[in-house]
Amino acid sequence: MSGQKLWAVVAGVGPGTGACVARRFAKSYSIALLARNPANYEELVKEINSSGGKAIGISTDCSDANAVKAAFEQIKKEDGFDGNLAAAVYNVGGQFVRKPFMDLTEDEFSIGWKANGLGGFHFSRAVLPLLLETEKAGPQHPPTLVFTSATAAMRGGAMFASFATGKFAMRALSQSLAREFGPKGIHVVHAIIDGVIDIPRTKEWKFDAPDAKISPEAIAESYWHLHTQPRTSFTYEFDIRPYCEKW
Amino acid sequence: MSGQKLWAVVAGVGPGTGACVARRFAKSYSIALLARNPANYEELVKEINSSGGKAIGISTDCSDANAVKAAFEQIKKEDGFDGNLAAAVYNVGGQFVRKPFMDLTEDEFSIGWKANGLGGFHFSRAVLPLLLETEKAGPQHPPTLVFTSATAAMRGGAMFASFATGKFAMRALSQSLAREFGPKGIHVVHAIIDGVIDIPRTKEWKFDAPDAKISPEAIAESYWHLHTQPRTSFTYEFDIRPYCEKW
Amino acid sequence: MSGQKLWAVVAGVGPGTGACVARRFAKSYSIALLARNPANYEELVKEINSSGGKAIGISTDCSDANAVKAAFEQIKKEDGFDGNLAAAVYNVGGQFVRKPFMDLTEDEFSIGWKANGLGGFHFSRAVLPLLLETEKAGPQHPPTLVFTSATAAMRGGAMFASFATGKFAMRALSQSLAREFGPKGIHVVHAIIDGVIDIPRTKEWKFDAPDAKISPEAIAESYWHLHTQPRTSFTYEFDIRPYCEKW
Amino acid sequence: MSGQKLWAVVAGVGPGTGACVARRFAKSYSIALLARNPANYEELVKEINSSGGKAIGISTDCSDANAVKAAFEQIKKEDGFDGNLAAAVYNVGGQFVRKPFMDLTEDEFSIGWKANGLGGFHFSRAVLPLLLETEKAGPQHPPTLVFTSATAAMRGGAMFASFATGKFAMRALSQSLAREFGPKGIHVVHAIIDGVIDIPRTKEWKFDAPDAKISPEAIAESYWHLHTQPRTSFTYEFDIRPYCEKW
């Protein structure tokens, strides 16, 4: 890894968590951004590249094995990439379906699973061999895989069958990977982000408290902190909530 | 429901929990047995019919929407069935895949989800309208939907990514249904069965204690007990473990 | 145990769960009722004795080691008691303190612990040797120790510091005993009763649903069912909630 | 708070977590160290004071209301202290009792509660008014109260009745405070430290992996990170485990 920057991959980039995580990790790593819609990463790629960092964007549907494969083939061909992946953040949430159970179609019900379970599977299979390779090279921080999750990973609410089955599955996947790859030095984290995130789309959403929305920059700082934990001292599961959120 | 017996449906019938639950509920209800392989219910159907009960068997793959639909079309045509479903037990476990994560194919990883998540979805969509109809008629016991689950619904172990994502999803589904349909008088239960069940296939499995295997008859008694709870006093989640099992 | 009836002990007897559990277990066992205030058991003792059962009442503060010791000395001297304890139910809740944290005195804060933690300790130490002795004699049902708990055992709410610390401690105690004494054949159960119980004192409490209160008779039936589970198939933790309760 | 440094209090200071947390917070705050045995903080006080920080030590038994009161009276008289408490860490573990349940005395059983429940109560009552006062002054980071806990807060193991009841109670207390004081801007954290900590006393403990022990410096970094989270984005519960620890 002679002098080359390490890389980080962020899947699921919108204006909130994904973008802020990318900006934060771009301070130390080259960044590959995956999103289905290029509009979600194009501006961010420019921003990072024009401010001294390095970023690429790849249009990818993470629930599609071939799409994920193709995306990582492209990453591997990048100048400066030779398997040196320092961190991977799976931030794909999927469309949020909230409906009476009897109104759900099979496709709607499966959205949660596809985005959070199956997509997490394809992403993990792509990044884990790279993270393991990086681990052997003795990186400054243990290679890290973070799953952005939600309270719905812990509680299946009425009308939430699609989202909750997906997030429960994501938590199962994260735990299973943490227990298999933790002993190999890979840091796998399940992060429950519980609340409305402060992004342009939620600007108009009013709450009693003026600062009731989660700061995506703060999420990014916490993800970075977790990434810097030595392997003697891994956090596997944690939550982030606004001070005024009921939980 | 003039004088007609109520019905119960048990999906996932092998020689263990499914068969014992069917026998137990057959004391009070006509029974429809669903399993992919007719060999799994044929003898049991005969046994119940020849001992004063009533049972039918239908070959069904519960992860297939059309198969489940067809199965319930057949049930609805049964003599004596006019929507009067008292209880439904989803006992489909799916093939148990235990493998290093990087060796899992997409199909293998998805087995847990298909059996426990998607299959539970199709089954629930078929039985809930019938259970709600029964509820209106003021049955002796609240209409009941039980999911047979496992410790893997609470803990994602290494090598268990397929099974655990499926069982986590099943728990999410069960909670979501309990919270939506509980207030409508339907009793939805998530039952963690934690341990080896005492069936012919496990006869040779030896443990330190001679009675270390769960009795499927005891599971059936507990399911029946839960079915008899009045709606003022529903149990939503419970576990069954052998006395000598670590947990 | 030649022909003698087995005994059950119920600590914490008021007009609700405790009384109903005592009545239910009195169908099979002689009953010892413990409560601080004799007014809480006197009528029930008469009722059980006059309807073909056998019951005694002993005024006991379970958080006081000597009081519990004295109570069991008295039980052991009872005609027909020779260590043959089949079941023990710890149903002491303690005074419910709901206050802003800064208004709590040390005594108020400690109420939850004393009733649920320390009282459970003294009670368990008194009953476990008797339950173990019964176990050796090969009783029909595994000797059973049930703790009546609450949702506050799983969630520490604002203003609930006293109650929640007590109920969390009760759950820890119950799990610790289940894991130590389960392998010895003793069935230890933690029962979360989540909701308002239907007793004279709550008669005037109105809810949207007319049947929104938990039936103490139903709780008693579930406790009895758990007691009858064979040791191959123990339930260690379960919940009871009204169908219309949010959870 | 004109130009004065803010303060942090750390209760429970030995050679591990407490000392490292104190050192870390001493980079930004004046530090008050509480421990029963002055030998536990004397050297550390000297070390911090001689390296540009400010520290005092006070011999305190946190389970004793009057001792805690006296300690905070002393802190309040410190030059530079005018109620400006930025952070408080409750790191008292108490003696660890591991015994068959029937061998526990009442005093032994109560050790866990006294250290973790009652001590946490007294400490919280002393620090919360100060943290609230600091909050009003608009500090850089939200005033923070961290409880150092253990896996025994989530699981009551055999032989662990004393320790587990204490740690369960600590978690209940932490949740209750987080839910009452979170909306007031105070950050209350329950930190599960799961594993052997790398301190002189555990130097000889050998594991398969050479780095199987948790780094107390890493714990301190994580505590500091949590302290810096803005109130839009509080972590309430998290865990720290060595990469090779089973969980």
Side-chain angles (χ1 to χ4, degrees):
Chain A
M1 292 177 202
S2 50
Q4 294 283 18
K5 248 194 190 174
L6 291 166
W7 282 70
V9 187
V10 180
V13 181
T17 306
C20 288
V21 168
R23 276 188 205 100
R24 182 64 188 81
F25 281 63
K27 292 185 190 175
S28 302
Y29 302 133
S30 298
I31 303 289
L33 300 169
L34 311 185
R36 286 213 286 196
N37 184 352
N40 279 338
Y41 56 70
E42 279 167 352
E43 216 168 327
L44 182 60
V45 166
K46 275 184 220 160
E47 178 197 319
I48 292 175
N49 284 323
S50 68
S51 59
K54 171 164 184 181
I56 60 168
I58 305 171
S59 169
T60 319
D61 174 357
C62 284
S63 67
D64 176 345
N66 290 327
V68 176
K69 212 171 192 173
F72 278 85
E73 287 309 317
Q74 189 177 333
I75 293 171
K76 287 172 192 170
K77 285 177 195 151
E78 279 295 310
D79 186 36
F81 188 90
D82 60 345
N84 47 352
L85 187 67
V89 177
Y90 190 73
N91 189 53
V92 176
Q95 194 191 327
F96 181 71
V97 182
R98 184 178 179 173
K99 274 195 177 180
F101 183 75
M102 290 307 299
D103 294 349
L104 284 173
T105 65
E106 175 172 343
D107 279 352
E108 287 171 332
F109 175 67
S110 299
I111 282 172
W113 159 255
K114 276 192 185 151
N116 295 285
L118 187 60
F121 170 77
H122 292 316
F123 185 76
S124 300
R125 282 175 59 83
V127 301
L128 281 165
L130 303 172
L131 296 170
L132 287 166
E133 203 174 319
T134 304
E135 204 278 328
K136 284 184 208 139
Q140 188 183 2
H141 306 302
T144 303
L145 167 56
V146 183
F147 292 93
T148 300
S149 190
T151 297
M154 307 291 278
R155 184 181 186 281
M159 315 280 166
F160 280 69
S162 171
F163 193 61
T165 47
K167 287 299 187 191
F168 270 65
M170 174 182 263
R171 186 167 176 241
L173 175 63
S174 176
Q175 287 189 359
S176 185
L177 295 178
R179 292 189 168 104
E180 182 175 346
F181 294 93
K184 297 175 180 172
I186 309 301
H187 188 179
V188 182
V189 183
H190 183 257
I192 290 179
I193 311 300
D194 178 26
V196 171
I197 297 180
D198 193 11
I199 52 175
R201 183 169 60 83
T202 64
K203 190 132 277 169
E204 298 307 309
W205 302 13
K206 297 295 179 203
F207 295 90
D208 289 347
D211 55 353
K213 293 173 210 158
I214 299 175
S215 152
E217 289 85 8
I219 297 173
E221 278 306 323
S222 285
Y223 281 19
W224 181 258
H225 169 71
L226 296 174
H227 176 52
T228 67
Q229 289 180 318
R231 72 184 196 173
T232 59
S233 311
F234 279 166
T235 291
Y236 289 126
E237 298 204 324
F238 83 117
D239 56 1
I240 290 188
R241 309 173 200 270
Y243 72 108
C244 48
E245 182 82 10
K246 296 248 183 233
W247 58 287
Chain B
M1 295 177 198
S2 50
Q4 295 283 19
K5 249 193 190 175
L6 290 166
W7 282 71
V9 186
V10 181
V13 181
T17 307
C20 289
V21 168
R23 277 188 202 99
R24 181 63 188 82
F25 281 63
K27 292 185 191 176
S28 302
Y29 302 134
S30 299
I31 303 290
L33 301 169
L34 311 186
R36 286 215 284 198
N37 184 351
N40 279 339
Y41 56 70
E42 279 167 352
E43 217 168 326
L44 182 61
V45 166
K46 274 184 219 161
E47 178 196 318
I48 292 175
N49 284 324
S50 67
S51 59
K54 171 162 184 182
I56 60 169
I58 304 172
S59 170
T60 317
D61 173 357
C62 283
S63 67
D64 176 344
N66 290 326
V68 176
K69 211 170 194 175
F72 279 85
E73 287 310 316
Q74 189 177 333
I75 293 172
K76 287 174 190 167
K77 283 178 195 150
E78 279 295 310
D79 187 35
F81 189 90
D82 59 346
N84 46 354
L85 188 65
V89 177
Y90 190 72
N91 189 55
V92 176
Q95 194 191 328
F96 181 71
V97 183
R98 185 177 179 173
K99 274 196 179 181
F101 183 73
M102 291 306 301
D103 293 349
L104 283 173
T105 65
E106 175 172 341
D107 279 352
E108 287 171 333
F109 175 67
S110 300
I111 281 173
W113 158 255
K114 276 192 186 152
N116 295 286
L118 188 59
F121 170 77
H122 292 317
F123 184 75
S124 299
R125 282 177 58 84
V127 302
L128 280 165
L130 302 172
L131 296 171
L132 286 167
E133 203 174 320
T134 304
E135 204 278 329
K136 284 183 208 142
Q140 189 183 2
H141 306 303
T144 302
L145 168 55
V146 183
F147 292 93
T148 300
S149 191
T151 296
M154 308 289 280
R155 183 180 187 283
M159 315 280 168
F160 281 69
S162 171
F163 194 61
T165 47
K167 288 298 187 190
F168 270 65
M170 175 182 262
R171 187 166 175 241
L173 175 63
S174 176
Q175 287 189 359
S176 185
L177 296 178
R179 290 189 169 104
E180 181 174 346
F181 293 94
K184 297 177 181 173
I186 309 300
H187 188 179
V188 182
V189 184
H190 182 259
I192 290 179
I193 310 300
D194 177 26
V196 172
I197 298 180
D198 193 11
I199 51 175
R201 184 169 59 86
T202 63
K203 190 130 280 170
E204 297 308 309
W205 301 13
K206 297 295 179 203
F207 295 89
D208 287 348
D211 54 351
K213 294 173 211 158
I214 299 175
S215 152
E217 289 84 8
I219 297 173
E221 278 305 324
S222 285
Y223 280 20
W224 180 258
H225 169 70
L226 296 174
H227 176 51
T228 67
Q229 288 180 319
R231 71 184 197 173
T232 58
S233 310
F234 279 166
T235 292
Y236 287 125
E237 298 203 324
F238 83 116
D239 57 359
I240 290 187
R241 308 174 199 268
Y243 71 109
C244 48
E245 182 81 9
K246 295 247 182 234
W247 59 286
Chain C
M1 293 179 201
S2 52
Q4 293 285 17
K5 250 192 188 174
L6 291 164
W7 283 71
V9 186
V10 180
V13 182
T17 306
C20 288
V21 167
R23 276 187 203 102
R24 181 64 186 82
F25 281 64
K27 292 185 190 177
S28 302
Y29 302 134
S30 299
I31 304 289
L33 300 168
L34 310 186
R36 286 215 284 198
N37 184 350
N40 279 338
Y41 57 69
E42 279 168 351
E43 218 169 325
L44 182 60
V45 166
K46 274 183 218 161
E47 178 196 318
I48 291 174
N49 284 324
S50 68
S51 58
K54 172 163 183 181
I56 61 168
I58 304 171
S59 170
T60 318
D61 174 356
C62 283
S63 67
D64 176 345
N66 289 327
V68 175
K69 211 171 194 174
F72 279 85
E73 287 309 317
Q74 190 177 332
I75 292 172
K76 288 173 190 168
K77 284 178 195 151
E78 278 295 310
D79 186 36
F81 188 90
D82 58 347
N84 46 354
L85 187 66
V89 177
Y90 190 72
N91 189 55
V92 175
Q95 195 191 326
F96 181 71
V97 182
R98 184 177 179 173
K99 274 196 179 181
F101 183 74
M102 291 306 300
D103 294 349
L104 284 173
T105 64
E106 175 172 342
D107 280 352
E108 287 170 334
F109 175 67
S110 300
I111 282 173
W113 158 256
K114 276 192 186 152
N116 294 285
L118 188 59
F121 170 77
H122 292 316
F123 184 75
S124 300
R125 283 176 58 83
V127 302
L128 280 165
L130 303 173
L131 295 171
L132 287 167
E133 202 174 322
T134 303
E135 205 277 329
K136 284 183 209 144
Q140 189 183 359
H141 306 302
T144 303
L145 167 57
V146 183
F147 292 93
T148 299
S149 190
T151 296
M154 308 290 279
R155 182 180 188 281
M159 316 280 166
F160 280 69
S162 171
F163 194 61
T165 46
K167 288 298 186 190
F168 270 65
M170 175 183 263
R171 186 165 175 242
L173 175 63
S174 176
Q175 286 189 359
S176 185
L177 295 179
R179 292 188 168 104
E180 181 174 347
F181 293 94
K184 297 177 180 172
I186 309 300
H187 188 179
V188 182
V189 183
H190 183 259
I192 290 180
I193 311 299
D194 177 27
V196 172
I197 298 180
D198 192 12
I199 52 174
R201 184 170 58 86
T202 64
K203 190 133 277 169
E204 297 308 309
W205 301 14
K206 297 297 178 201
F207 296 89
D208 288 347
D211 55 352
K213 293 173 211 159
I214 299 175
S215 151
E217 288 85 8
I219 297 173
E221 278 305 325
S222 285
Y223 281 18
W224 180 258
H225 169 70
L226 296 173
H227 176 51
T228 67
Q229 289 180 318
R231 72 184 196 173
T232 58
S233 311
F234 279 166
T235 292
Y236 288 125
E237 297 204 325
F238 82 118
D239 55 1
I240 290 186
R241 308 174 200 268
Y243 71 109
C244 48
E245 182 82 8
K246 297 246 182 233
W247 59 287
Chain D
M1 294 180 200
S2 50
Q4 295 282 20
K5 248 195 190 173
L6 291 165
W7 283 71
V9 186
V10 180
V13 181
T17 306
C20 288
V21 168
R23 276 189 204 99
R24 181 62 187 83
F25 281 62
K27 294 185 189 175
S28 303
Y29 302 134
S30 298
I31 303 288
L33 301 168
L34 311 186
R36 285 213 286 197
N37 184 352
N40 280 337
Y41 55 71
E42 278 167 353
E43 218 170 324
L44 181 61
V45 166
K46 274 184 219 162
E47 177 196 319
I48 291 174
N49 284 324
S50 69
S51 58
K54 172 164 185 184
I56 60 168
I58 305 171
S59 169
T60 319
D61 173 357
C62 283
S63 67
D64 176 344
N66 289 327
V68 176
K69 212 171 193 172
F72 278 86
E73 287 309 316
Q74 189 176 333
I75 293 172
K76 287 173 192 169
K77 283 177 196 152
E78 279 295 312
D79 187 35
F81 189 91
D82 59 346
N84 46 354
L85 187 67
V89 177
Y90 190 72
N91 189 54
V92 176
Q95 194 193 329
F96 181 71
V97 182
R98 184 177 180 173
K99 273 196 179 181
F101 183 74
M102 291 307 300
D103 294 348
L104 284 173
T105 65
E106 174 171 344
D107 280 352
E108 287 171 332
F109 175 67
S110 299
I111 282 172
W113 158 255
K114 276 192 186 152
N116 295 285
L118 188 60
F121 170 78
H122 292 316
F123 184 75
S124 300
R125 284 177 57 84
V127 300
L128 281 164
L130 302 173
L131 295 171
L132 287 167
E133 204 174 318
T134 304
E135 203 279 327
K136 284 184 208 142
Q140 188 183 1
H141 306 302
T144 302
L145 167 57
V146 183
F147 291 94
T148 299
S149 191
T151 297
M154 308 289 280
R155 183 180 187 282
M159 315 279 167
F160 280 69
S162 171
F163 194 61
T165 47
K167 287 299 186 191
F168 270 65
M170 175 182 263
R171 185 166 177 241
L173 175 64
S174 177
Q175 288 190 358
S176 184
L177 295 178
R179 291 189 169 104
E180 182 174 346
F181 293 93
K184 296 176 181 172
I186 309 300
H187 188 178
V188 182
V189 183
H190 182 258
I192 289 180
I193 310 300
D194 177 28
V196 171
I197 298 179
D198 192 10
I199 52 174
R201 185 169 58 85
T202 63
K203 190 130 278 169
E204 298 307 309
W205 302 12
K206 297 295 179 203
F207 295 89
D208 288 347
D211 55 352
K213 293 173 210 158
I214 299 175
S215 151
E217 288 84 9
I219 297 173
E221 278 305 324
S222 286
Y223 281 20
W224 180 258
H225 169 71
L226 296 174
H227 176 52
T228 67
Q229 290 180 318
R231 71 183 197 174
T232 59
S233 311
F234 278 167
T235 292
Y236 289 126
E237 297 204 324
F238 83 117
D239 56 0
I240 290 188
R241 308 172 200 270
Y243 71 109
C244 48
E245 181 82 9
K246 297 246 182 235
W247 58 286

